[in-house]
Amino acid sequence: MAKPPGDDARRAALRLISGLRDGQSLSDQAAALRRLAPADQARAARLAAETLRHRARADAVLARFLSRRTAPQVQDLLQLATVEMLELGGAPHGVVDAAVNLTRGLGRKGQAAAGMVNAVLRKVARVEDWDALPPQRLPDWLRAPVAATWGEAATLAIEAAHQAGAPLDLTLKPGAAVEIEGARPLPTGSLRLDGGVQVSALPGYAEGAWWVQDAAAALAVRLLEPQPGERIADLCAAPGGKTLQLAAAGAEVTAVDISKARLARVAENLARCNLSARLVAADALDWQPEGALDAVLLDAPCSATGTIRRHPDLPFLRDGSGIAGLAELQARLIDRAVGMLPSGGRMVYATCSLLPEEGEAQIAAALARHPDLRIEPPALPGIEPEWVTPEGGLRLRPDHWPELGGMDGFFIARLRKAG
């Protein structure tokens, strides 16, 4: 009997989801999709991501029809089928049949569960209140500090932004003239596209007219304001969007990252965009610049909690236990970057985190350690006044720009060393 259409993608999506139980992120497992046709690769990735984004809502629906929780693999399958029908609009008959076939393929326990899966999903298909269910909550270790900092209403708005997912943002190379159907300019200068698109097929990709970069991430370099000919170190540089921005501004960039593999991706994008930078595989804590620098960009390793809307697997992989260690590393990197600055030199510190201890508190502590540093409040087009903290940092959250599709969560601060 022929396989139902989409079975390969569904099976691959289930493998991606089950991999989280072994501590593997969706991106860690991306190579496993390469044996599939391109369309199935994209579909599997989307099914897995959307299932994780709506997992709690799916469980709330399933609980109405299950007397007890099923085996993990069967629960994954029920969640995926629920999301495919109720969120993605999959035809119930085809989704249910595919789920039953996939359940039978799980072995003896799957054979025994197939009838239950069929019965439950037929009931799920008739559920009418899916859109009224609340968004998936942040895990407690993250929700508590977010709510304590910005309040319950903002926390709910952040959770809604995570549920909505992320559009595709592009940073244009200065002077590039490219027209992309459906792209709209954002107030801060990025271009935004909604819906799933094949990036490499978009106009201007082959010519290197732009690169993919969330609008929030693009603000770190804009805040640094690189000038032609300036010598700038980009510390912890991969995946490289900020390196490309610095090089496109005409700066002499040294991009430092501890991962050779990630720097190889930076090199590929530099070549595609006909830009140049010196790439150095080294620990930023050990690396020493050759000669004086004008500025330093430090996009420090962090919890990445600001990127959940595009990485819905993150809440299922982290428990908050590593935050203290990350904060300690960030402080050491700040001290190292400050030591590279000449008198009058400037730096930008950035983390894609929602946690104040990786942002506001980190900079407050750095200013206390370095009396010769001062913070310079942002003055950029498109910046809303409420994004600027009382101390002069830039706090970006996923619930900002709700009418435009949100943004990643970031903290960014520009610092100047006394001259």
Side-chain angles (χ1 to χ4, degrees), residues 239-401:
K242 298 174 185 67
T243 299
L244 293 169
Q245 283 180 282
L246 293 167
E252 296 180 16
V253 190
T254 301
V256 181
D257 198 273
I258 202 166
S259 169
K260 288 183 178 180
R262 283 162 61 84
L263 279 176
R265 294 291 304 275
V266 179
E268 290 173 7
N269 276 315
L270 284 166
R272 179 177 64 83
C273 295
N274 194 28
L275 296 169
S276 62
R278 179 175 174 242
L279 306 184
V280 179
D283 188 330
L285 290 171
D286 299 326
W287 177 74
Q288 183 64 38
E290 297 176 2
L293 295 173
D294 296 294
V296 175
L297 175 66
L298 172 58
D299 187 357
C302 71
S303 63
T305 46
T307 67
I308 291 173
R309 68 192 193 120
R310 66 179 69 253
H311 298 295
D313 51 337
L314 192 146
F316 303 102
L317 294 168
R318 308 275 174 85
D319 60 7
S321 59
I323 302 300
L326 284 168
E328 181 184 355
L329 173 60
Q330 291 155 9
R332 294 172 64 201
L333 286 165
I334 289 171
D335 292 346
R336 182 71 178 142
V338 171
M340 297 177 186
L341 289 177
S343 297
R346 68 198 188 281
M347 68 174 282
V348 162
Y349 169 82
T351 53
C352 54
S353 171
L354 293 176
L355 295 169
E357 61 194 288
E358 298 186 276
E360 292 89 337
Q362 191 67 260
I363 289 303
L367 292 172
R369 290 195 308 273
H370 300 279
D372 57 343
L373 279 185
R374 70 177 190 274
I375 194 165
E376 297 183 331
L380 294 173
I383 295 294
E384 301 287 341
E386 59 267 27
W387 302 353
V388 182
T389 70
E391 300 75 23
L394 187 59
R395 167 50 72 184
L396 307 173
R397 300 196 321 236
D399 59 316
H400 291 161
W401 279 348

Side-chain angles (χ1 to χ4, degrees), residues 21-195:
R21 286 190 282 275
D22 297 322
Q24 298 183 66
S25 69
L26 296 184
S27 58
D28 289 339
Q29 302 177 77
L33 297 178
R34 291 176 188 157
R35 64 176 184 79
L36 299 177
D40 281 339
Q41 290 184 40
R43 185 158 187 243
R46 185 181 184 215
L47 281 172
E50 291 299 324
T51 299
L52 295 174
R53 191 169 278 124
H54 299 277
R55 189 179 231 178
R57 300 170 80 212
D59 278 344
V61 168
L62 290 165
R64 303 173 189 176
F65 311 116
L66 290 169
S67 58
R68 58 184 174 85
R69 192 169 178 88
T70 62
Q73 285 182 304
V74 176
Q75 192 72 18
D76 291 346
L77 202 154
L78 287 168
Q79 292 166 351
L80 186 146
T82 298
V83 171
E84 189 176 358
M85 286 190 290
L86 300 184
E87 177 65 24
L88 301 179
H93 179 76
V95 173
V96 173
D97 283 355
V100 170
N101 288 333
L102 290 170
T103 305
R104 287 176 178 148
L106 296 176
R108 188 169 57 187
K109 289 185 178 180
Q111 292 281 352
M116 177 273 293
V117 167
N118 180 63
V120 167
L121 290 180
R122 288 183 183 279
K123 295 174 183 175
V124 168
R126 296 193 291 272
V127 165
E128 296 181 352
D129 64 344
W130 174 257
D131 290 337
L133 295 174
Q136 187 159 277
R137 285 171 62 93
L138 292 169
D140 290 343
W141 64 267
L142 179 56
R143 198 178 202 279
V146 168
T149 304
W150 296 300
E152 182 66 14
T155 304
L156 290 170
I158 288 170
E159 289 168 342
H162 289 166
Q163 178 176 287
L168 181 73
D169 291 348
L170 309 178
T171 298
L172 283 177
K173 190 175 175 181
V178 59
E179 292 187 10
I180 302 175
E181 185 178 357
R184 63 186 190 276
L186 294 173
T188 53
S190 298
L191 279 184
R192 173 159 290 179
L193 281 162
D194 294 320

